[in-house]
Amino acid sequence: MAPLSITAAHLWGLFIQSLCFGVYLVTVGFTIPPLLRTGNRFRRFGELNLVMLIGALALCIFITFDMVLSFYHSLLAFVSATGPDAATRVYTDISSWINLVNVLFETVVGDLMLIYRCWVVYNRSWLSVSPSIILWLGCLACGIRVIFLAGTLHVPALVNSEKTYPYHSAFWGISVAVNIVTTSLLVWRLWTIDREASQYRTSQSVRHESLLRHVMRIILESGMIYTASAIATFITVVAKSTASYPITALVSGI
């Protein structure tokens, strides 16, 4: 099979990102209101979880902005640009500000929110989440390095160019590790609490048991979905495949 061209990769990416963005908007409708309301009233300022609210709004802004940029990028490539191979020229301008603002920001913020939830579940113990924080800092450093190198390259290149390749692949590899470690810590903590509380349960407390296990299942399933997509991105980046563009578009909508 012939390798995916850069123009086809971006068009597939725009298509996949559009589908995921629609699904994401639906989930926002379920996740944002509980952060703002309790019962039949809006939460008072002191009742707001500002970290989760700001993080959720930041992700919403980043993902929406990335969707708009992807569409604008396609307009530049196929409508505004002229000359031979105009679309390829636009898409390989790696130092363009459009190419610099991408899913790396969303990934860093999303990973940080996952670590925050783990920190809260572990009763705000910094020691418990220290492995995740160290990995996240490494991921952040690699992301900043990728953006810096891409912004100063000023030659036609793909995102997996020789200069950015080591840091780009390391970014996704570390992000996968952050999600596996942090999700495992969350599930382990909830499972331990559920096991310790089981000896005090009566027939009337079965509902509480099912709720806790339901939470564990949601965390595990969502973690597996995102981690699987991040692993797929890591594989395509390491393989220097243009398939990393549509796969990355999938990650941005999860």
Side-chain angles (χ1 to χ4, degrees):
M1 181 181 293
L4 194 65
S5 68
I6 183 62
T7 52
H10 273 277
L11 286 177
W12 272 110
L14 179 60
F15 173 72
I16 293 173
Q17 189 176 10
S18 299
L19 293 178
C20 292
F21 184 68
V23 176
Y24 171 74
L25 289 180
V26 174
T27 62
V28 168
F30 287 99
T31 56
I32 297 295
L35 295 174
L36 297 174
R37 296 180 60 88
T38 177
N40 296 322
R41 65 175 179 83
F42 283 98
R43 297 179 185 270
R44 291 184 289 272
F45 183 79
E47 297 175 326
L48 293 174
N49 188 330
L50 291 179
V51 175
M52 290 299 297
L53 180 60
I54 293 173
L57 292 176
L59 278 177
C60 185
I61 292 172
F62 281 141
I63 292 173
T64 302
F65 188 52
D66 192 48
M67 181 71 245
V68 173
L69 280 183
S70 295
F71 178 69
Y72 177 65
H73 209 186
S74 295
L75 285 180
L76 287 181
F78 296 102
V79 178
S80 300
T82 57
D85 296 325
T88 301
R89 189 172 66 252
V90 170
Y91 285 138
T92 55
D93 184 10
I94 194 173
S95 297
S96 168
W97 67 273
I98 300 177
N99 282 324
L100 295 179
V101 182
N102 53 30
V103 74
L104 298 185
F105 288 110
E106 302 162 25
T107 303
V108 168
V109 174
D111 289 349
L112 184 60
M113 296 308 299
L114 178 62
I115 294 173
Y116 171 76
R117 289 196 292 268
C118 187
W119 177 69
V120 171
V121 169
Y122 275 87
N123 198 25
R124 291 172 165 76
S125 170
W126 292 105
L127 181 61
S128 300
V129 297
S130 56
S132 299
I133 293 176
I134 292 172
L135 288 170
W136 181 83
L137 290 174
C139 188
L140 177 63
C142 289
I144 293 174
R145 185 62 175 168
V146 168
I147 294 173
F148 173 78
L149 291 175
T152 56
L153 200 56
H154 298 300
V155 293
L158 301 180
V159 70
N160 296 325
S161 66
E162 291 299 326
K163 284 190 175 182
T164 61
Y165 173 77
Y167 301 99
H168 197 210
S169 56
F171 174 89
W172 285 107
I174 297 173
S175 179
V176 169
V178 169
N179 279 270
I180 292 176
V181 170
T182 311
T183 302
S184 299
L185 287 171
L186 272 170
V187 173
W188 171 259
R189 178 67 168 177
L190 293 175
W191 179 80
T192 302
I193 295 173
D194 180 71
R195 186 182 60 178
E196 292 175 350
S198 62
Q199 57 183 315
Y200 303 107
R201 290 196 180 101
T202 62
S203 57
Q204 288 78 21
S205 60
V206 174
R207 180 174 177 272
H208 295 283
E209 178 185 7
S210 62
L211 285 176
L212 187 56
R213 292 187 178 180
H214 181 64
V215 171
M216 285 190 291
R217 186 167 61 252
I218 291 175
I219 293 175
L220 185 59
E221 289 176 352
S222 61
M224 289 175 62
I225 292 173
Y226 181 83
T227 302
S229 60
I231 290 175
T233 303
F234 175 65
I235 292 173
T236 55
V237 169
V238 170
K240 296 185 177 180
S241 171
T242 51
S244 61
Y245 289 93
I247 296 297
T248 301
L250 176 64
V251 174
S252 67
I254 296 180

